[in-house]
Amino acid sequence: MHSKTFFLLLFPILYQSNFVQSQTQRNEMPRPTALFSAIFWGKPTTRTLTYAPWGNFDETNSSKVRLRVGSSALSQTCAFYGNSKIDLRQQRNYTDLEIDLMEDKTEASAMHSFAEFEFSSQEGEVQQFILIFTPGKEGDSYQTFSIPFGEEIVPWGSFKLISQLKETLYLAVGDKKATLSSGKSQIFHSRDFPGQSKVRMIGYRLMNGKYKEATAQNFHLSDKQRGIYFLTTRRKLVNVVPMVERFRPLERILGYGTPPFKIVSERAKLPQPSSVVVP
């Protein structure tokens, strides 16, 4: 039998075997213990942070993922496979002079702790939350808070309004009316506004017996996004702080499917031959 004919007969078997192996690997992919995103609150800030998806940051050759966190929008959603603590670190920025004066130059690329968040993993459950970083009392320090962000709390296609005002706010969201007391929340669904791609919210304060407009915000309506909007005060004005997540398949979430350790090929471990010049 010619080799070409043999290959043609063998190809369907090889293809099917690879397909089955691929599907098996996909089905055996471990589920994350948590999905989280992050945001800065309080002042405009942007940082590049690093975390180990398996919670093994200090282990040799552990896998690490970088994420960009800002103050104007939620970061990308991140997958975590550890059981207790999410450890976020950052690399400090040094001037050329500071690096020149270092006895150990590796210090310039060292990772320093930025934030730690403790949580208890639940077997068979993927917890979802938002990490909020607020300025601390000392220099460049930050405090870390979390708010639950499970799909049972904020379903896809919905937005949740949370009031941090001291007084009651009266809302008109499209043709819907709601009263939002201090510390309370209200959820609106895109299905409440059929045929619309966006809806406008107007918030009113009751002052001297009259309703006066205090804030306004447009909300995009889509089954592919969900979010939390905090109503707070800034310079005595009502401010809306958005925290919106847009849908991504699980396999496209940052850190998803990352192995606990980096895979180093045997070839990479072998010493490379040096160049020899023959006279």
Side-chain angles (χ1 to χ4, degrees):
M1 181 183 294
H2 295 294
S3 60
K4 183 177 181 181
T5 304
F6 177 76
F7 176 77
L8 291 173
L9 292 173
L10 185 61
F11 177 77
I13 299 175
L14 292 173
Y15 176 82
Q16 184 176 12
S17 174
N18 289 335
F19 176 77
V20 171
Q21 183 179 6
S22 175
Q23 289 296 104
T24 301
Q25 290 175 346
R26 184 178 299 178
N27 293 337
E28 292 177 353
M29 186 74 69
R31 295 181 66 192
T33 55
L35 299 176
F36 71 93
S37 52
I39 191 171
F40 284 97
W41 180 297
K43 63 179 181 180
T45 309
T46 302
R47 297 288 178 90
T48 297
L49 305 178
T50 302
Y51 81 105
W54 288 84
N56 57 346
F57 206 109
D58 293 319
E59 294 188 42
T60 303
N61 212 37
S62 60
S63 297
K64 299 176 181 67
V65 173
R66 300 174 69 188
L67 69 147
R68 192 78 167 166
V69 183
S71 53
S72 60
L74 285 181
S75 70
Q76 284 184 258
T77 303
C78 304
F80 185 71
Y81 295 88
N83 293 318
S84 57
K85 181 176 70 175
I86 297 176
D87 183 5
L88 293 160
R89 302 189 187 184
Q90 67 174 344
Q91 184 176 328
R92 291 179 182 170
N93 294 321
Y94 295 99
T95 64
D96 292 339
L97 177 59
E98 288 174 325
I99 295 175
D100 288 339
L101 295 175
M102 289 179 181
E103 293 183 7
D104 183 4
K105 304 300 183 185
T106 60
E107 174 64 20
S109 58
M111 289 289 174
H112 302 270
S113 178
F114 176 80
E116 293 183 351
F117 174 69
E118 298 277 357
F119 80 103
S120 298
S121 62
Q122 305 293 329
E123 186 175 354
E125 179 183 341
V126 181
Q127 298 187 51
Q128 300 180 64
F129 43 81
I130 297 172
L131 297 181
I132 300 176
F133 305 131
T134 63
K137 296 180 179 179
E138 298 180 3
D140 200 33
S141 66
Y142 285 85
Q143 295 178 300
T144 304
F145 300 92
S146 72
I147 53 175
F149 198 44
E151 294 176 23
E152 73 283 358
I153 299 173
V154 186
W156 289 105
S158 69
F159 54 94
K160 183 176 184 179
L161 305 178
I162 301 178
S163 174
Q164 291 190 318
L165 306 176
K166 294 181 179 180
E167 76 269 35
T168 298
L169 197 65
Y170 301 89
L171 304 177
V173 183
D175 59 355
K176 310 296 180 184
K177 302 292 189 294
T179 300
L180 201 57
S181 302
S182 177
K184 300 300 182 180
S185 63
Q186 178 79 32
I187 286 186
F188 294 90
H189 297 266
S190 57
R191 63 172 179 267
D192 296 332
F193 310 95
Q196 300 182 51
S197 60
K198 66 179 180 180
V199 66
R200 185 169 180 80
M201 176 203 76
I202 301 177
Y204 297 90
R205 281 170 161 164
L206 183 59
M207 303 176 66
N208 300 322
K210 295 182 180 181
Y211 293 99
K212 293 188 177 182
E213 183 175 330
T215 187
Q217 177 81 25
N218 289 326
F219 297 109
H220 181 65
L221 302 175
S222 171
D223 291 336
K224 296 295 185 179
Q225 76 172 36
R226 63 194 185 110
I228 294 176
Y229 293 81
F230 284 92
L231 300 172
T232 183
T233 54
R234 184 179 182 183
R235 299 188 182 96
K236 297 183 179 181
L237 300 176
V238 177
N239 187 43
V240 181
V241 180
M243 298 183 185
V244 178
E245 178 186 32
R246 290 171 178 81
F247 177 80
R248 285 190 175 205
L250 190 58
E251 58 270 18
R252 289 185 58 196
I253 286 178
L254 205 62
Y256 179 78
T258 301
F261 299 95
K262 297 177 184 176
I263 300 173
V264 180
S265 66
E266 292 299 322
R267 182 172 180 175
K269 296 179 182 178
L270 295 175
Q272 298 298 315
S274 57
S275 299
V276 177
V277 179
V278 180

